[in-house]
Amino acid sequence: MSLDYRFCIAPMMKKTDRHFRYLSRQFTKKAVLYTEMIHANAILKGNPEKLLKYKDIEHPVALQLGGCEPLQLAEAAEVGASYGYDEINLNVGCPSKKVRSGNFGVFLMKDIKLLNSCLRAMKKNLSIPLTVKCRIGVDQHEGDDFLNNFISNLSDEGIDTFFIHARKAISGLDTKRNRSIPPLKYDSVYRIKENNPDLKIIINGGIDDIKKCQDHLSYVDGVMLGRKVYADPTFLLEVDQHIFKEKTNNCFNKGMKGYMEYILALENPKDVNRAITHLVQVIKKISFSKEIRKQLLLNVRNSKKDLKNIFTDFQEDHLLKSQSQNP
């Protein structure tokens, strides 16, 4: 079954864990969700159950893998598929120092022979889609000719879906600066779709409102948003109606109630803390004052506090915020 990629939530390290994906699913039923990038070695030598388990509500959900050893990636992909993920995605776009030292992520764009070996090995025993997330270039490897040849080469290996960050990666920049330097080149991604109409092309980078999403969808098959969604998860309430043209019963109050019930049902304190970290993003967005934020978080951490009372506090705070913005 082919996934509907019109709106995807980007894989983000230390952010798109299973708790954040559960929160996201309270506000959108249709967006495709992605795990954080998980290195193949971590799955093979660590605890795959801890790394890969998720709730059925998260579907459609994809596993993003990192690495550069073909056999390890192939084995990790098979393990991921056995957990029921809808897709395996190979990270060929991350420019972090850790990735550079391991020669994977975006640095695989410089070694097409190795990348092809990885994809060939991964596809061999995989029955679910294998996709690639990349950049428009890296260091001196840039320009339309390079990107066209890169995409063409990978499509020859049977890859038909590409998530393309419309900004070149630069080795000398830290990850944070490489999010804003150099400039985005959306036209480069549009031209890839124009030249390869049979491929699915999803654009990523700097997209921060629904109108921009709709504009991009005139040229490509989908949009992928990361930081905007994490900074304001309630933004997702617009997605099903405006991007997928579907009416749903998603709403702020229902979504928050669902997520708080989820938090209060968690048994592991570390899981609770991680889940609350994501809740802070929503509270920052709606909260009327720092004092209210602090009290709401204390209430959630206090398991003796009645869920109904916490939820009432949220509703009242949300109303105060709305009234202050619309006097």
Side-chain angles (χ1 to χ4, degrees), residues 9-113:
I9 300 178
M12 292 175 280
M13 294 301 292
K14 298 183 179 178
K15 289 182 171 60
T16 49
D17 58 19
R18 59 193 174 94
H19 310 302
F20 185 75
R21 298 195 304 269
Y22 193 94
L23 171 61
S24 299
R25 200 51 91 206
Q26 303 309 302
F27 299 135
T28 170
K29 306 302 180 195
K30 301 290 292 181
V32 183
L33 308 183
Y34 284 77
T35 68
E36 306 167 85
M37 178 181 67
I38 303 175
H39 197 283
N41 257 347
I43 292 172
L44 301 181
K45 297 180 180 179
N47 183 344
E49 179 69 12
K50 183 179 178 182
L51 291 169
L52 300 177
K53 68 178 179 180
Y54 60 92
K55 299 279 189 183
D56 284 344
I57 191 178
E58 293 176 43
H59 288 290
V61 58
L63 167 65
Q64 188 184 69
L65 292 176
C68 62
E69 296 287 339
L71 294 180
Q72 289 178 353
L73 281 166
E75 193 176 342
E78 285 187 63
V79 174
S82 73
Y83 275 78
Y85 283 95
D86 298 294
E87 170 201 320
I88 303 293
N89 177 268
L90 181 62
N91 185 313
V92 190
C94 179
S96 73
K97 287 181 181 178
K98 188 174 181 181
V99 160
R100 183 164 73 243
S101 65
N103 196 38
F104 62 105
V106 76
F107 301 98
L108 281 172
M109 290 189 77
K110 295 182 176 185
D111 193 341
I112 195 74
K113 186 177 179 181

